[in-house]
Amino acid sequence: MAAPNFPKPSEFADDKRVQLVEETGHYIFTDPDDGTEYEYDNEKGAWFPMWNESLVEQQQSVYGTESLPEGDVDGRSGKRKLPAQSKKRENTSIYISGLPLDATEDEVVEFFSQCGTIMPDIITNKPKVKLYRDDTGALKGDALVTYYKQPSVQLALDILDDSRFRPADSAHIRVQQAEFEPKAPLGDADKAKRPRVDSKKLDWFEGADDIAERHRRTVILKHMFTLEELEADVTLLLDLPEDVRSECEKLGKVTSVKVYDKSDEGVVAVKFKDELSARACVKMMNGRFFAGRQIEASIYDGHTRYKATKRGSDAATASNVQGSSEDAPNGDDEQRMEQYAQWLDSGN
């Protein structure tokens, strides 16, 4: 898919395809061929696809949970039996050629993350990106990127193939699905040479994976409300979690929503069932405007504590269909300390 012929900043005023959004101060370009909207980034001097309804639907296919395949029903238990699944993993890698010879790994990660989450390396935990080099160590201009989900591959082929890696580049990059030759099976002698790794030595502490994974599924939304708004409208504490849940469930299953009604930053925590949906939420919500305020969206850092009264906790409980607010960053510790101090002062 060829990239649109984007206008230069000096041409914005006279180009009918470009409109200025007064609310954000950003220019929007509409591709007359397919109706895709792009937003101009002043810092990077480049056009980027907007997260409109069409792209959100594509993102949902990238991050959505797959439905269980249909199978036979066990006559004795009445439970559905799942068919045997192949252990062969889907090919989620793309091969890129035509990159600038001075392209960095960080640039490649940022550019191709537009189409979905890039799989982390199990050893380094860095995004799985490989820049190919020749015998002298110089970059060859091609790379391999591996995504989490297979639909990200198709999305990259649709919107990034035959596009400019940098706005000033005259050449276009090519993106195609990577092809791998099957490896020959290892013989007994080769297997004996492979070192054995004790998996327990790779763990920092018991339960570390569960804690890290829990934080990666929680999104922090800031500037969703002000303390003055909560005082003026008591129903906002009940309506806000439902509104947030309704919007966020477009991207994946939401297990809990909690309003931190003592937070000066207007914090709402959204807990997803899976990490990929949380990342998609950050991508979609960060920078959007809500009630005249610009939202800041990020993955929970795992250590910041936000304050909430019992009203905020009750609102979260009423909003949650599944799960509980205990998995979200909470301010209950401060509340318990206040109650304990009152108990000491009473002389009991």
Side-chain angles (χ1 to χ4, degrees):
M1 182 175 114
N5 184 20
F6 293 117
K8 299 177 181 179
S10 59
E11 303 171 343
F12 288 177
D14 299 326
D15 197 318
K16 295 182 179 180
R17 300 172 299 172
V18 179
Q19 292 183 340
L20 175 63
V21 180
E22 299 290 345
E23 208 174 27
T24 63
H26 291 171
Y27 286 96
I28 305 300
F29 170 82
T30 303
D31 187 350
D33 293 333
D34 58 11
T36 302
E37 293 184 335
Y38 298 82
E39 186 177 60
Y40 188 75
D41 190 316
N42 292 317
E43 294 182 0
K44 298 180 180 179
W47 293 96
F48 293 95
M50 290 187 63
W51 289 91
N52 53 28
E53 185 176 348
S54 175
L55 283 180
V56 166
E57 289 178 359
Q58 293 186 59
Q59 193 72 9
Q60 286 176 324
S61 68
V62 172
Y63 291 104
T65 55
E66 298 178 356
S67 59
L68 291 176
E70 295 185 357
D72 297 331
V73 176
D74 191 328
R76 290 175 296 178
S77 63
K79 296 181 178 179
R80 185 176 297 278
K81 297 186 297 181
L82 296 180
Q85 297 181 355
S86 171
K87 294 183 179 181
K88 185 178 180 181
R89 187 182 176 278
E90 285 186 314
N91 181 7
T92 59
S93 298
I94 57 173
Y95 176 76
I96 307 104
S97 57
L99 289 169
L101 297 182
D102 61 345
T104 66
E105 187 173 305
D106 289 341
E107 281 184 296
V108 174
V109 169
E110 181 179 0
F111 186 81
F112 287 96
S113 291
Q114 301 176 65
C115 298
T117 300
I118 297 176
M119 180 180 293
D121 188 277
I122 60 174
I123 297 178
T124 65
N125 204 34
K126 293 182 179 180
K128 206 167 184 180
V129 170
K130 180 178 180 180
L131 302 183
Y132 291 98
R133 300 176 182 270
D134 59 21
D135 295 337
T136 65
L139 291 174
K140 299 171 62 177
D142 50 356
L144 185 73
V145 174
T146 302
Y147 286 107
Y148 251 123
K149 293 280 188 177
Q150 206 283 330
S152 296
V153 174
Q154 188 58 49
L155 195 59
L157 299 181
D158 289 342
I159 70 174
L160 300 182
D161 182 36
D162 197 23
S163 65
R164 292 184 178 90
F165 183 71
R166 295 169 181 158
D169 291 344
S170 58
H172 291 192
I173 63 171
R174 297 310 308 264
V175 180
Q176 60 190 36
Q177 185 160 14
E179 298 180 359
F180 301 96
E181 295 182 0
K183 295 181 179 179
L186 292 176
D188 293 338
D190 294 325
K191 292 179 181 178
K193 294 178 182 178
R194 298 180 66 176
R196 294 183 179 181
V197 179
D198 186 354
S199 60
K200 293 182 179 179
K201 294 181 180 180
L202 299 178
D203 295 335
W204 287 102
F205 57 91
E206 186 176 359
D209 289 342
D210 293 338
I211 295 175
E213 195 269 343
R214 179 172 73 242
H215 296 331
R216 292 196 298 267
R217 290 185 284 125
T218 302
V219 176
I220 298 298
L221 303 177
K222 294 182 179 180
H223 313 307
M224 297 295 294
F225 61 89
T226 64
L227 299 180
E228 292 77 12
E229 289 175 341
L230 291 182
E231 292 178 359
D233 185 1
V234 294
T235 63
L236 181 61
L237 202 57
L238 295 175
D239 295 339
L240 184 58
E242 292 299 330
D243 292 342
V244 172
R245 174 185 289 276
S246 176
E247 186 68 18
C248 291
E249 282 195 332
K250 296 177 181 178
L251 300 172
K253 180 64 178 177
V254 174
T255 60
S256 68
V257 178
K258 182 169 182 178
V259 178
Y260 289 90
D261 58 339
K262 290 183 66 178
S263 167
D264 294 333
E265 296 179 293
V267 172
V268 175
V270 183
K271 174 75 176 298
F272 286 90
K273 186 177 181 181
D274 60 84
E275 177 188 351
L276 299 179
S277 298
R279 290 184 178 274
C281 176
V282 172
K283 196 84 172 180
M284 184 182 75
M285 298 293 286
N286 190 46
R288 287 181 58 178
F289 280 82
F290 179 76
R293 295 178 298 272
Q294 192 168 24
I295 301 172
E296 293 181 20
S298 61
I299 299 296
Y300 177 49
D301 58 22
H303 58 79
T304 304
R305 292 292 179 264
Y306 302 103
K307 295 182 179 181
T309 63
K310 190 175 185 299
R311 291 190 311 159
S313 299
D314 289 344
T317 303
S319 172
N320 298 339
V321 177
Q322 293 184 7
S324 66
S325 59
E326 65 182 5
D327 285 337
N330 63 71
D332 293 340
D333 293 340
E334 290 88 349
Q335 184 177 350
R336 285 195 293 269
M337 291 299 292
E338 291 176 4
Q339 293 174 347
Y340 182 58
Q342 293 174 2
W343 180 80
L344 290 177
D345 293 339
S346 67
N348 293 333

